Amino acid sequence: MKKAHLTVQSNSEIADRIYKMVLKGELVRHFTEPGQFLHLKVSDAVTPLLRRPLSIADVDFAVNEVSVIYRTDGEGTRLLSEKKGSMIDVLGPLGNGFPVRRIEPGKTALLVGGGVGVPPLQELSKRLTEKGVNVIHVLGFQSAKDVFYEQECLAYGDTYVATADGTYGEKGFVTDIIREKQLEFDVLLSCGPTPMLKALKQQYGHKEVYLSMEERMGCGIGACFACVCRTGESDTSYVKVCLDGPVFKAEEVAL
Ligand code: FES
């Protein structure tokens, strides 16, 4: 983990209250696995005090640029959305990321994203296809106004979109699409809200499944207990999402 100042190259709204920020700097050379995240300091003022953890969506090593996607849902992310051309204090890359090395060429990976859990799938999809893995994407959103990254995913493989209210794509949830389209896969990799991860674990936990957890975070480096997640029935068995994850094998976390 390193700390550096990156330049905000661009910062624009790509769906309803969903922003894409492109950051540039030497730190980008240290990114390794898709699914890692950055911890961004949103302001130098006393409040909002905390950094914001944002998944890495896309990395361009040729120009030292990295993209992150976020939804404005409070003061901190509103302040982030106003940044353009300035420098921003960044900790990262943090976390373990998805296990691209373990997935063999010729296998089929099902990539499932929900809402702001979709972004890390883009870099993941790129890395998997580069090594000869077939990818299928299933993306879930609340409504048409929330949909983003469909075209980016289509560039790498078949892509299905579900919206809860049926205003775009198929009506329903990602699990409905997987079942109705009878999608076949060797490994499932997912990032999104806990209810979605829980449903995937319940239905496909007998297969090889990796889940990236979206927990609230404080320090982002293992020093507080803001992001703990139980690993079993006992309250004393837990992992820290920021340090031990955010990606876990499905059987490693209790949802
Ligand atoms: Fe502090 Fe994970 S955010 S331990």
Side-chain angles (χ1 to χ4, degrees):
M1 183 269 293
K2 297 190 179 302
K3 183 172 182 290
H5 283 82
L6 300 186
T7 306
V8 180
Q9 293 289 94
S10 62
N11 196 9
S12 54
E13 191 171 15
I14 59 170
D16 184 41
R17 294 189 301 123
I18 303 288
Y19 285 74
K20 176 179 180 179
M21 178 186 274
V22 179
L23 300 165
K24 186 181 182 76
E26 283 295 301
L27 184 72
V28 174
R29 288 191 294 114
H30 299 280
F31 298 145
T32 50
E33 302 289 348
Q36 290 182 299
F37 65 97
L38 301 178
H39 217 23
L40 272 61
K41 192 172 179 189
V42 297
S43 94
D44 292 326
V46 178
T47 55
L49 203 52
L50 297 180
R51 291 172 178 268
R52 292 294 180 277
L54 301 180
S55 297
I56 294 167
D58 185 32
V59 185
D60 188 339
F61 290 107
V63 290
N64 274 351
E65 287 186 354
V66 61
S67 306
V68 291
I69 309 284
Y70 59 97
R71 180 171 49 220
T72 52
D73 54 8
E75 178 66 0
T77 42
R78 188 191 62 73
L79 285 170
L80 266 188
S81 71
E82 292 172 353
K83 292 189 185 294
K84 276 197 185 105
S86 53
M87 304 291 276
I88 188 162
D89 180 323
V90 178
L91 278 179
L94 300 170
N96 58 357
F98 288 102
V100 172
R101 274 165 291 176
R102 283 194 222 159
I103 305 170
E104 293 169 13
K107 298 282 186 186
T108 297
L110 181 62
L111 277 51
V112 184
V116 287
V118 168
L121 303 188
Q122 192 196 358
E123 184 68 19
L124 176 61
S125 203
K126 187 203 300 178
R127 300 279 187 100
L128 288 171
T129 50
E130 277 172 0
K131 68 176 286 191
V133 175
N134 307 308
V135 294
I136 304 170
H137 313 88
V138 180
L139 315 179
F141 301 94
Q142 282 300 316
S143 188
K145 66 180 174 39
D146 305 312
V147 176
F148 64 96
Y149 266 18
E150 181 184 16
Q151 294 306 316
E152 284 81 350
C153 288
L154 274 167
Y156 297 110
D158 290 346
T159 301
Y160 303 90
V161 177
T163 50
D165 65 4
T167 51
Y168 191 90
E170 311 278 336
K171 187 177 191 318
F173 299 106
V174 292
T175 42
D176 298 327
I177 289 201
I178 300 170
R179 188 181 58 252
E180 286 164 14
K181 303 291 180 190
Q182 300 183 356
L183 300 179
E184 301 281 343
F185 57 90
D186 299 297
V187 54
L188 189 156
L189 307 108
S190 182
C191 183
T194 302
M196 185 191 87
L197 300 182
K198 187 172 181 175
L200 290 169
K201 178 177 175 174
Q202 278 171 350
Q203 294 177 36
Y204 303 104
H206 58 288
K207 304 189 84 159
E208 188 177 357
V209 175
Y210 296 92
L211 306 174
S212 181
M213 308 283 292
E214 283 185 342
E215 290 295 322
R216 283 209 166 274
M217 286 190 194
C219 67
I221 54 172
C224 71
F225 284 80
C227 66
V228 292
C229 174
R230 286 191 303 109
T231 56
E233 291 306 313
S234 157
D235 283 344
T236 56
S237 56
Y238 62 84
V239 287
K240 291 181 177 177
V241 172
C242 69
L243 199 64
D244 305 312
V247 178
F248 298 93
K249 287 193 91 167
E251 61 267 30
E252 292 173 345
V253 284
L255 297 173

